[in-house]
Amino acid sequence: MREFRYDVIAIGGGPAGMAAALSAKQAGAEKVLIIERDRELGGILQQCIHNGFGLRRFEDELTGPGYAHRYINMVKASDIDVWLDSTVLSAAPGGIVTSVSPQQGLRVATGSSVVYSMGCRERTRGAIRIPGSRPAGVFTAGAAQRMVNMEGYLPGKEVVIVGSGDIGLIMARRMTLEGAKVKAVFEIMPYSNGLTRNIVQCLEDFGIPLYLAHSVVAVHGKDRVTGVTVAEVDAALTPIPGTEFDVACDCVLLSVGLIPENELGRAAGLHIDAVTGGGVVDQFRETSLAGYFAAGNVLHVHDLVDWVSQEAEIAGKSAALHALGKLPPAGEHRPVTAGDGVRTVVPQRLSPPSGQLSVRFYLRASRPMGASILRLHADGNVVWERKLRVVKPSEMIVAEISWKKLGSSDVLEFTVVPAPVEADSEPAEEEVA
Amino acid sequence: MTRHVHAIQCIGCPVGCGGEVVIEAGAVIEMRGFTCDKGQAYAADEVVAPKRMVTTTVRVDGGTLPLLPVVSERPVPKDAIFDCIRLLRSVVVQAPVEADAIIVADALGLGVNFRAACSIAEA
C-alpha cells in the first residue's frame, strides 16, 4: 500500500471537485489531488448533452460536455494530480482518504484539507413507494439519460414520466427526438419542480401534457411494464378516489428528486442538515468535521452548474487557506435559519469573519409565490431585504450580503413573504436595503 | 388593422421572464416584460420565426465511447428540428474527434453547422 501527502484533496471530479481543486491551487495550495471513480473527469455533465450550461460562469451557452471540457482543460493545464477509476472507501479524521482502483490497487492519501464533492444520487421508485408490480422498464431519468446519450440504447418507445424535475423534462424531449412517444409527465405537487424554460422547450414544444397534482397509484406488467394507473391528488397529496385513469406504456422514467451522496461523511460522523441532506457548513463551506469542506450537490442540490462552480470556488479557497494555516480555527458559530417561506439556507451557520467583505447565501423557497420580499432578520430585526419578481422552489435564490449587515447578532433568520401590491411594479430584482 | 398579443415565455436563461409581444401587420410593434436584449430578440423571433438549439449524438467508430454529443452552432428553425435529428442519425465519425470540430457543415442548407460538444479519444 502506497501513501501520499497533499495539501488539498477533492473527492469527486465533477464540476464541484474541479472548481474546488482549481481555486485551491489559485489560493496557494501546492499539492492538490482530485480522486474520481469514473474513467474521465466531468461527472454527470458528460451525459447532459443539452445546452444551457455556463450562461453565468462563461457567459456562453454550452452543452454539459462542453462545460465539463472547459474545466477539464483548466485542470490539465495545471499541475493538479488526478486519480481516475478510483473509488474512495473512507475519509477519516485527519484527512486520511483511502481509495482503490483496478490498476493502482489500494492507495491512501492524506490531505491537510479535504473537499467533499461527490454529487448526488437520484431518488428511486423505492424512495417514493409507488405501489404495483415490479416489471422491467422502470428507470430513473438520469439512468435513462446515460443509456441514451452515452451508451446508445433507447430504454422504451412509449414513455410515461413521473415527476417534473429538470432531468425528467430534459429526457421527455430527448426521448421524443430519438423517436419515442412520451405520453405525459405526472407531477404530484400542484406546481412543477423544473425550470420554466424546460417546461417550454421540452414539453410545450412537443405537445407533451404535464399533469400537476397527479400521482401514479399503480404500475402494471409482469415481465415488462405495460402501463400505469394515475389519480389526481388532494391538497394532502392523497389520491382522490374516482379520478383514476390508465396510461399504456413500456417505459416509466422517474424524476422525483435528488439526494446528496453523503455516505463517506455519514460514516465519519458528519453533522447533516435534515432538509438539504448535505453537511451543515459555515461561510467557508467547512463542515462539522475539522478540515473537511463541502461543495456542489453533495452539500445541497443545485439547479444550475454555474452556482456549483461558484460555490466550489469558496470551498476550494477555504480548503487551501486551512491547509496553509491561514483559516482561523472554527470558534463560536452563529446559526442561520430558514424561517417562514424558506425551505433551505446554506451556509447554515457563520464563523467569525476573516478578511471577507460579504457572505453568499443560497436559499430555496418552501412554496411558489409571486412578487415577494426576501428578508434577513438579525435577532428579530430586519437588517437586509431584496425584492424578488417571482419565487419558485425549483429555482435557487442567491443573496450576497455584506458583513456590515450581518453584524454580530446571535441568530440570523431568512424569510420570504409576499410583496405588497404596488401600483408601479418594479420589473427587475433590486436590492432595497 | 388587427393587433395580436402573444404571451411568450422566454427560454434564454434560467430567470425565465414572461412577457407579451404585440404584432400588427406581421411586424412587432411592442414588447412588454422582457428584461434583456437577448430576451427581446428571442420573444420577437418566437412570434415570427421560432428557433431552437439542437443537441443530439452521432455514432463514433473506434472511440473510447460509442457516441459523440453534437450541438448546433446557432438555433435552427423549429420545424427543421426533426429533419436535423434524422440527418445526424445517419452520421458516423471516426475517432479521434476534437471538441468543436465541424461534424456536419451547413445542415440541410440551413446555414448552421453542427459541432462536436467534446473530444473523443481513439480506443
Coordinates of all heavy atoms in Angstrom, one line a residue, chain B residues 2-87:
Chain B
T2 N -55.6 44.6 -37.6 CA -55.7 43.8 -36.4 C -54.4 43.7 -35.7 O -53.4 43.5 -36.3 CB -56.2 42.4 -36.8 OG1 -55.6 42.0 -38.0 CG2 -57.7 42.3 -36.8
R3 N -54.6 43.8 -34.4 CA -53.4 43.6 -33.5 C -53.5 42.2 -32.8 O -54.6 41.8 -32.5 CB -53.4 44.6 -32.4 CG -53.0 46.0 -32.8 CD -52.9 46.8 -31.6 NE -52.3 48.1 -31.9 CZ -51.7 48.9 -31.1 NH1 -51.6 48.5 -29.8 NH2 -51.1 50.0 -31.5
H4 N -52.4 41.5 -32.7 CA -52.4 40.3 -32.0 C -51.4 40.4 -30.8 O -50.3 40.9 -31.0 CB -52.0 39.1 -32.9 CG -53.0 38.8 -34.0 ND1 -54.2 38.1 -33.7 CD2 -53.0 39.2 -35.2 CE1 -54.9 38.0 -34.8 NE2 -54.2 38.7 -35.8
V5 N -51.8 40.0 -29.7 CA -50.9 40.0 -28.5 C -50.6 38.5 -28.2 O -51.4 37.7 -28.0 CB -51.6 40.6 -27.3 CG1 -50.7 40.6 -26.1 CG2 -52.1 42.0 -27.6
H6 N -49.3 38.2 -28.2 CA -48.8 36.9 -28.0 C -48.1 36.9 -26.6 O -47.2 37.7 -26.3 CB -47.8 36.4 -29.0 CG -48.4 36.4 -30.4 ND1 -48.8 35.2 -31.0 CD2 -48.6 37.4 -31.3 CE1 -49.3 35.5 -32.2 NE2 -49.2 36.8 -32.4
A7 N -48.5 35.9 -25.7 CA -47.9 35.7 -24.5 C -46.7 34.8 -24.7 O -46.8 33.7 -25.2 CB -48.8 35.1 -23.5
I8 N -45.5 35.3 -24.4 CA -44.3 34.5 -24.6 C -43.5 34.3 -23.3 O -43.3 35.2 -22.6 CB -43.4 35.2 -25.6 CG1 -44.1 35.4 -27.0 CG2 -42.0 34.5 -25.8 CD1 -44.3 34.1 -27.8
Q9 N -43.1 33.0 -23.1 CA -42.2 32.7 -22.0 C -40.8 32.6 -22.5 O -40.5 31.7 -23.4 CB -42.7 31.4 -21.4 CG -41.8 30.8 -20.3 CD -41.9 31.7 -19.1 OE1 -42.9 32.0 -18.6 NE2 -40.7 32.0 -18.6
C10 N -39.9 33.4 -22.1 CA -38.5 33.4 -22.6 C -37.8 32.2 -22.1 O -37.9 31.8 -20.9 CB -37.8 34.7 -22.1 SG -36.1 34.7 -22.8
I11 N -37.0 31.6 -22.9 CA -36.2 30.4 -22.5 C -34.7 30.7 -22.6 O -33.8 29.9 -22.5 CB -36.5 29.2 -23.4 CG1 -36.1 29.4 -24.8 CG2 -37.9 28.7 -23.2 CD1 -36.1 28.1 -25.7
G12 N -34.4 32.0 -22.8 CA -33.0 32.4 -23.0 C -32.1 32.1 -21.8 O -30.9 31.9 -22.0
C13 N -32.6 32.2 -20.6 CA -31.8 31.9 -19.4 C -32.7 31.4 -18.3 O -33.9 31.5 -18.4 CB -31.0 33.1 -19.0 SG -31.9 34.3 -18.0
P14 N -32.1 31.0 -17.2 CA -32.9 30.4 -16.1 C -33.9 31.4 -15.4 O -34.8 31.0 -14.7 CB -31.9 29.9 -15.1 CG -30.7 29.7 -15.9 CD -30.7 30.8 -16.9
V15 N -33.7 32.7 -15.6 CA -34.6 33.7 -15.0 C -36.0 33.4 -15.5 O -37.0 33.5 -14.7 CB -34.1 35.1 -15.3 CG1 -35.2 36.1 -14.8 CG2 -32.8 35.4 -14.6
G16 N -36.2 33.1 -16.8 CA -37.5 32.8 -17.3 C -38.5 33.9 -17.3 O -39.6 33.7 -16.8
C17 N -38.2 35.0 -17.9 CA -39.1 36.1 -18.0 C -40.3 35.7 -18.8 O -40.2 35.1 -19.8 CB -38.5 37.4 -18.6 SG -37.1 38.0 -17.7
G18 N -41.5 36.2 -18.4 CA -42.7 36.1 -19.2 C -43.1 37.4 -19.7 O -42.9 38.4 -19.0
G19 N -43.6 37.5 -20.9 CA -44.0 38.8 -21.4 C -44.9 38.7 -22.6 O -45.4 37.6 -22.9
E20 N -45.1 39.9 -23.2 CA -46.1 39.9 -24.3 C -45.4 40.6 -25.5 O -44.6 41.5 -25.4 CB -47.3 40.7 -23.9 CG -48.2 40.0 -23.0 CD -49.4 40.8 -22.5 OE1 -49.4 42.0 -22.7 OE2 -50.4 40.2 -22.1
V21 N -45.8 40.1 -26.7 CA -45.3 40.7 -28.0 C -46.6 41.1 -28.7 O -47.5 40.3 -28.9 CB -44.5 39.6 -28.8 CG1 -44.1 40.3 -30.1 CG2 -43.3 39.2 -28.0
V22 N -46.6 42.3 -29.2 CA -47.8 42.8 -29.9 C -47.4 42.9 -31.4 O -46.4 43.5 -31.8 CB -48.2 44.2 -29.4 CG1 -49.5 44.6 -30.1 CG2 -48.4 44.2 -27.9
I23 N -48.2 42.2 -32.2 CA -47.9 42.1 -33.6 C -49.0 42.9 -34.4 O -50.2 42.7 -34.1 CB -48.0 40.7 -34.1 CG1 -46.9 39.8 -33.4 CG2 -47.9 40.5 -35.6 CD1 -45.5 40.0 -34.0
E24 N -48.6 43.7 -35.4 CA -49.6 44.3 -36.3 C -49.0 44.2 -37.7 O -47.9 44.5 -37.9 CB -49.8 45.8 -35.9 CG -51.0 46.4 -36.5 CD -51.3 47.8 -35.9 OE1 -51.7 47.9 -34.8 OE2 -51.0 48.7 -36.7
A25 N -49.9 43.7 -38.6 CA -49.5 43.5 -40.0 C -48.2 42.7 -40.1 O -47.3 43.1 -40.9 CB -49.3 44.9 -40.7
G26 N -48.0 41.7 -39.3 CA -46.9 40.8 -39.4 C -45.6 41.4 -38.8 O -44.6 40.8 -38.9
A27 N -45.7 42.6 -38.2 CA -44.5 43.2 -37.6 C -44.7 43.4 -36.1 O -45.8 43.7 -35.7 CB -44.2 44.5 -38.3
V28 N -43.6 43.3 -35.4 CA -43.6 43.5 -34.0 C -43.7 45.0 -33.7 O -42.9 45.8 -34.2 CB -42.3 42.9 -33.3 CG1 -42.3 43.3 -31.8 CG2 -42.2 41.4 -33.5
I29 N -44.7 45.4 -33.0 CA -44.8 46.9 -32.7 C -44.6 47.2 -31.2 O -44.3 48.3 -30.9 CB -46.2 47.5 -33.2 CG1 -47.3 46.8 -32.5 CG2 -46.3 47.4 -34.7 CD1 -48.6 47.6 -32.6
E30 N -44.7 46.2 -30.4 CA -44.5 46.5 -29.0 C -44.1 45.2 -28.2 O -44.6 44.1 -28.6 CB -45.8 47.1 -28.4 CG -45.5 47.8 -27.1 CD -46.8 48.2 -26.4 OE1 -47.8 48.5 -27.1 OE2 -46.8 48.3 -25.1
M31 N -43.3 45.3 -27.2 CA -42.9 44.2 -26.4 C -43.0 44.7 -24.9 O -42.5 45.7 -24.6 CB -41.6 43.6 -26.7 CG -41.6 42.8 -27.9 SD -40.1 41.8 -28.1 CE -39.1 42.9 -28.9
R32 N -43.5 43.8 -24.0 CA -43.5 44.1 -22.6 C -43.0 42.9 -21.8 O -43.3 41.8 -22.1 CB -45.0 44.4 -22.2 CG -45.6 45.5 -22.8 CD -47.0 45.7 -22.2 NE -48.0 44.9 -22.8 CZ -48.8 45.3 -23.8 NH1 -48.8 46.5 -24.3 NH2 -49.7 44.4 -24.3
G33 N -42.3 43.2 -20.8 CA -41.9 42.2 -19.8 C -40.6 41.5 -19.9 O -40.2 40.7 -19.1
F34 N -39.9 41.7 -21.0 CA -38.6 41.1 -21.2 C -37.5 42.0 -20.7 O -37.5 43.2 -21.0 CB -38.4 40.7 -22.7 CG -39.5 39.8 -23.1 CD1 -40.5 40.3 -23.9 CD2 -39.6 38.5 -22.8 CE1 -41.6 39.5 -24.3 CE2 -40.7 37.7 -23.2 CZ -41.6 38.2 -24.0
T35 N -36.6 41.4 -19.9 CA -35.7 42.3 -19.2 C -34.3 42.4 -19.8 O -33.4 43.0 -19.2 CB -35.6 41.9 -17.7 OG1 -35.3 40.5 -17.7 CG2 -36.9 42.1 -17.0
C36 N -34.0 41.8 -20.9 CA -32.7 42.0 -21.5 C -32.8 41.9 -23.0 O -33.8 41.5 -23.6 CB -31.7 40.9 -21.0 SG -32.0 39.2 -21.7
D37 N -31.7 42.3 -23.7 CA -31.7 42.4 -25.2 C -32.0 41.0 -25.8 O -32.7 40.8 -26.8 CB -30.4 42.9 -25.7 CG -30.2 44.3 -25.3 OD1 -31.1 45.0 -24.9 OD2 -29.0 44.8 -25.5
K38 N -31.3 40.0 -25.1 CA -31.4 38.6 -25.6 C -32.9 38.2 -25.6 O -33.4 37.5 -26.5 CB -30.6 37.7 -24.7 CG -30.0 36.5 -25.5 CD -29.1 35.7 -24.5 CE -29.2 34.3 -24.9 NZ -28.5 33.4 -24.0
G39 N -33.5 38.5 -24.5 CA -34.9 38.1 -24.3 C -35.8 38.8 -25.3 O -36.8 38.2 -25.8
Q40 N -35.6 40.1 -25.6 CA -36.3 40.8 -26.6 C -36.2 40.1 -27.9 O -37.2 40.0 -28.7 CB -35.8 42.3 -26.7 CG -35.8 43.0 -25.4 CD -36.9 44.1 -25.3 OE1 -37.5 44.4 -26.3 NE2 -37.1 44.6 -24.1
A41 N -35.0 39.8 -28.3 CA -34.7 39.2 -29.6 C -35.4 37.8 -29.7 O -36.0 37.5 -30.7 CB -33.2 39.0 -29.8
Y42 N -35.3 37.0 -28.6 CA -36.0 35.7 -28.5 C -37.5 35.9 -28.7 O -38.1 35.2 -29.5 CB -35.7 35.0 -27.2 CG -36.5 33.8 -27.0 CD1 -36.1 32.6 -27.7 CD2 -37.7 33.8 -26.3 CE1 -36.9 31.4 -27.5 CE2 -38.5 32.7 -26.2 CZ -38.1 31.5 -26.8 OH -38.9 30.4 -26.7
A43 N -38.1 36.8 -28.0 CA -39.5 37.0 -28.0 C -40.0 37.4 -29.4 O -41.0 36.8 -29.9 CB -39.9 38.0 -26.9
A44 N -39.3 38.3 -30.0 CA -39.7 38.7 -31.4 C -39.6 37.5 -32.3 O -40.5 37.3 -33.1 CB -38.8 39.9 -31.8
D45 N -38.5 36.8 -32.3 CA -38.3 35.6 -33.1 C -39.4 34.6 -32.9 O -39.8 33.9 -33.8 CB -36.9 35.0 -32.7 CG -35.9 35.2 -33.8 OD1 -36.2 36.0 -34.8 OD2 -34.8 34.6 -33.7
E46 N -39.7 34.4 -31.6 CA -40.6 33.3 -31.2 C -42.0 33.5 -31.8 O -42.7 32.5 -32.1 CB -40.7 33.3 -29.7 CG -41.5 32.1 -29.1 CD -40.8 30.8 -29.4 OE1 -39.7 30.7 -29.9 OE2 -41.5 29.7 -29.0
V47 N -42.4 34.7 -32.1 CA -43.7 35.0 -32.7 C -43.6 34.9 -34.2 O -44.4 34.3 -34.9 CB -44.2 36.4 -32.3 CG1 -45.5 36.7 -33.0 CG2 -44.4 36.5 -30.8
V48 N -42.5 35.4 -34.8 CA -42.4 35.5 -36.3 C -41.8 34.2 -36.8 O -42.3 33.6 -37.8 CB -41.5 36.7 -36.7 CG1 -41.4 36.8 -38.2 CG2 -42.1 37.9 -36.0
A49 N -40.7 33.7 -36.3 CA -40.0 32.5 -36.8 C -39.3 31.8 -35.6 O -38.1 32.0 -35.4 CB -39.0 32.9 -37.9
P50 N -40.0 31.0 -34.9 CA -39.4 30.3 -33.7 C -38.2 29.4 -34.1 O -38.2 28.7 -35.1 CB -40.5 29.5 -33.1 CG -41.5 29.4 -34.2 CD -41.4 30.6 -35.1
K51 N -37.2 29.5 -33.2 CA -35.9 28.7 -33.4 C -35.5 28.1 -32.1 O -35.8 28.5 -31.1 CB -34.8 29.6 -33.9 CG -35.0 30.3 -35.2 CD -33.8 31.1 -35.6 CE -34.0 31.9 -36.9 NZ -34.9 33.1 -36.6
R52 N -34.8 26.9 -32.2 CA -34.3 26.3 -31.1 C -32.9 25.7 -31.3 O -32.5 25.4 -32.5 CB -35.1 25.0 -30.7 CG -36.5 25.3 -30.2 CD -36.6 25.9 -28.8 NE -37.9 26.1 -28.4 CZ -38.6 27.2 -28.6 NH1 -38.1 28.3 -29.3 NH2 -39.9 27.4 -28.2
M53 N -32.1 25.7 -30.3 CA -30.8 25.0 -30.4 C -31.1 23.5 -30.5 O -32.1 23.0 -29.9 CB -29.9 25.2 -29.1 CG -29.4 26.6 -28.9 SD -28.2 27.1 -30.1 CE -26.8 26.2 -29.5
V54 N -30.3 22.7 -31.2 CA -30.5 21.3 -31.3 C -29.3 20.6 -30.8 O -28.1 20.9 -31.2 CB -30.8 20.9 -32.8 CG1 -30.8 19.4 -32.9 CG2 -32.1 21.5 -33.3
T55 N -29.5 19.6 -29.9 CA -28.4 18.8 -29.4 C -28.8 17.3 -29.6 O -29.9 17.0 -29.3 CB -28.0 19.0 -27.9 OG1 -29.2 18.8 -27.1 CG2 -27.6 20.4 -27.7
T56 N -27.9 16.5 -30.0 CA -28.1 15.1 -30.1 C -26.8 14.4 -30.2 O -25.7 15.0 -29.8 CB -29.0 14.7 -31.4 OG1 -29.3 13.3 -31.4 CG2 -28.3 15.1 -32.7
T57 N -26.7 13.1 -30.6 CA -25.5 12.4 -30.6 C -25.3 11.8 -32.0 O -26.3 11.6 -32.7 CB -25.4 11.2 -29.6 OG1 -26.6 10.4 -29.8 CG2 -25.5 11.7 -28.2
V58 N -24.1 11.5 -32.4 CA -23.8 10.7 -33.6 C -22.9 9.5 -33.2 O -22.2 9.6 -32.2 CB -23.1 11.6 -34.7 CG1 -23.9 12.8 -35.1 CG2 -21.7 12.1 -34.2
R59 N -22.9 8.5 -34.1 CA -22.1 7.3 -33.8 C -20.6 7.6 -34.0 O -20.2 8.4 -34.9 CB -22.5 6.2 -34.7 CG -23.8 5.5 -34.3 CD -24.2 4.6 -35.5 NE -25.7 4.8 -35.7 CZ -26.5 3.8 -35.3 NH1 -26.1 2.6 -34.9 NH2 -27.8 4.0 -35.5
V60 N -19.8 6.9 -33.2 CA -18.4 7.0 -33.3 C -17.8 5.6 -33.6 O -18.2 4.7 -32.9 CB -17.8 7.5 -32.0 CG1 -16.2 7.7 -32.1 CG2 -18.4 8.9 -31.6
D61 N -16.9 5.6 -34.5 CA -16.2 4.3 -34.8 C -14.8 4.4 -34.2 O -14.1 5.4 -34.4 CB -16.0 4.2 -36.4 CG -16.6 2.9 -36.9 OD1 -17.3 2.2 -36.1 OD2 -16.3 2.6 -38.1
G62 N -14.5 3.3 -33.4 CA -13.1 3.2 -32.9 C -12.8 4.2 -31.8 O -11.6 4.5 -31.5
G63 N -13.8 4.7 -31.1 CA -13.6 5.6 -30.0 C -13.7 5.0 -28.6 O -14.1 3.8 -28.5
T64 N -13.3 5.7 -27.6 CA -13.4 5.2 -26.2 C -14.9 5.1 -25.8 O -15.3 4.5 -24.8 CB -12.7 6.1 -25.2 OG1 -13.1 7.5 -25.5 CG2 -11.2 6.0 -25.3
L65 N -15.8 5.9 -26.5 CA -17.2 5.8 -26.2 C -17.9 5.7 -27.6 O -17.4 6.1 -28.6 CB -17.7 7.1 -25.6 CG -17.3 7.3 -24.1 CD1 -17.6 8.8 -23.7 CD2 -18.1 6.3 -23.2
P66 N -19.1 5.0 -27.6 CA -19.8 4.8 -28.8 C -20.5 6.0 -29.4 O -20.9 6.0 -30.6 CB -20.8 3.7 -28.5 CG -21.0 3.8 -27.0 CD -19.8 4.4 -26.4
L67 N -20.7 7.0 -28.6 CA -21.4 8.2 -29.1 C -20.7 9.5 -28.9 O -20.0 9.6 -27.9 CB -22.8 8.3 -28.4 CG -23.8 7.1 -28.6 CD1 -25.0 7.3 -27.7 CD2 -24.2 7.1 -30.1
L68 N -20.9 10.4 -29.8 CA -20.3 11.8 -29.6 C -21.5 12.8 -29.6 O -22.3 12.8 -30.5 CB -19.5 12.1 -30.9 CG -19.0 13.6 -31.0 CD1 -17.9 13.9 -30.0 CD2 -18.6 13.9 -32.4
P69 N -21.5 13.6 -28.5 CA -22.6 14.6 -28.5 C -22.3 15.8 -29.4 O -21.1 16.2 -29.6 CB -22.5 15.1 -27.0 CG -21.2 14.7 -26.5 CD -20.8 13.6 -27.3
V70 N -23.3 16.2 -30.2 CA -23.1 17.3 -31.1 C -24.1 18.4 -30.8 O -25.2 18.2 -30.3 CB -23.2 16.9 -32.6 CG1 -22.1 15.9 -32.9 CG2 -24.6 16.2 -32.9
V71 N -23.8 19.6 -31.2 CA -24.7 20.8 -30.9 C -24.7 21.7 -32.1 O -23.7 21.9 -32.8 CB -24.2 21.5 -29.6 CG1 -22.7 21.9 -29.7 CG2 -25.1 22.7 -29.3
S72 N -25.9 22.3 -32.4 CA -26.0 23.3 -33.5 C -25.2 24.5 -33.1 O -25.3 24.9 -31.9 CB -27.4 23.6 -33.8 OG -28.1 24.1 -32.7
E73 N -24.6 25.2 -34.0 CA -23.8 26.4 -33.7 C -24.8 27.5 -33.3 O -24.4 28.4 -32.5 CB -23.1 26.9 -35.0 CG -21.7 26.7 -35.0 CD -21.1 27.0 -36.3 OE1 -21.7 27.8 -37.1 OE2 -20.0 26.5 -36.6
R74 N -25.9 27.5 -33.9 CA -26.9 28.6 -33.6 C -28.3 27.9 -33.6 O -28.4 26.7 -34.0 CB -27.0 29.6 -34.8 CG -25.8 30.5 -34.9 CD -26.1 31.6 -35.9 NE -26.7 31.2 -37.2 CZ -25.9 30.7 -38.2 NH1 -24.6 30.6 -38.0 NH2 -26.5 30.4 -39.3
P75 N -29.3 28.5 -33.1 CA -30.7 27.9 -33.1 C -31.1 27.7 -34.6 O -30.7 28.5 -35.5 CB -31.5 29.0 -32.5 CG -30.6 29.8 -31.6 CD -29.3 29.8 -32.4
V76 N -31.8 26.6 -34.8 CA -32.4 26.3 -36.1 C -33.9 26.5 -36.1 O -34.5 26.4 -35.0 CB -32.0 24.8 -36.6 CG1 -30.5 24.6 -36.5 CG2 -32.7 23.8 -35.7
P77 N -34.5 26.7 -37.2 CA -35.9 26.9 -37.3 C -36.6 25.6 -36.6 O -36.2 24.5 -36.8 CB -36.3 26.9 -38.8 CG -35.0 27.4 -39.4 CD -33.9 26.9 -38.6
K78 N -37.6 25.9 -35.8 CA -38.2 24.9 -35.0 C -38.8 23.7 -35.9 O -38.7 22.6 -35.5 CB -39.4 25.5 -34.2 CG -39.6 25.0 -32.8 CD -40.5 25.9 -32.1 CE -41.5 25.1 -31.3 NZ -42.5 26.0 -30.5
D79 N -39.3 24.1 -37.1 CA -39.9 23.0 -37.9 C -38.8 22.2 -38.6 O -39.2 21.2 -39.3 CB -40.9 23.6 -38.8 CG -40.4 24.7 -39.7 OD1 -39.1 24.8 -39.8 OD2 -41.2 25.4 -40.3
A80 N -37.5 22.5 -38.4 CA -36.5 21.7 -39.0 C -35.8 20.8 -38.0 O -34.8 20.1 -38.4 CB -35.5 22.6 -39.7
I81 N -36.2 20.8 -36.8 CA -35.5 20.1 -35.7 C -35.5 18.6 -36.0 O -34.4 18.0 -36.0 CB -36.2 20.3 -34.3 CG1 -36.0 21.7 -33.9 CG2 -35.6 19.3 -33.3 CD1 -36.8 22.1 -32.6
F82 N -36.6 18.0 -36.4 CA -36.7 16.6 -36.6 C -35.9 16.2 -37.8 O -35.3 15.1 -37.9 CB -38.1 16.1 -36.7 CG -38.7 15.8 -35.3 CD1 -39.5 16.8 -34.7 CD2 -38.4 14.7 -34.6 CE1 -40.1 16.6 -33.5 CE2 -39.0 14.5 -33.3 CZ -39.8 15.5 -32.7
D83 N -35.9 17.1 -38.9 CA -35.0 16.8 -40.1 C -33.6 16.8 -39.7 O -32.8 16.0 -40.2 CB -35.4 17.8 -41.2 CG -36.8 17.6 -41.7 OD1 -37.3 16.4 -41.7 OD2 -37.4 18.6 -42.1
C84 N -33.2 17.7 -38.8 CA -31.7 17.7 -38.4 C -31.4 16.5 -37.7 O -30.3 15.9 -37.9 CB -31.5 18.9 -37.5 SG -31.5 20.5 -38.3
I85 N -32.3 16.0 -36.8 CA -32.1 14.8 -36.0 C -31.9 13.6 -36.9 O -31.0 12.8 -36.8 CB -33.2 14.6 -35.0 CG1 -33.3 15.7 -34.0 CG2 -33.1 13.2 -34.3 CD1 -32.3 15.7 -32.9
R86 N -32.8 13.5 -37.9 CA -32.8 12.4 -38.9 C -31.4 12.4 -39.6 O -30.8 11.4 -39.8 CB -33.9 12.5 -39.9 CG -35.0 11.5 -39.7 CD -36.0 11.5 -40.8 NE -36.8 12.7 -40.9 CZ -37.8 13.0 -40.1 NH1 -38.2 12.1 -39.2 NH2 -38.4 14.2 -40.2
L87 N -31.0 13.6 -40.1 CA -29.8 13.7 -40.8 C -28.6 13.2 -39.9 O -27.7 12.4 -40.3 CB -29.5 15.2 -41.2 CG -28.2 15.5 -41.7 CD1 -28.0 14.9 -43.1 CD2 -28.0 17.1 -41.8

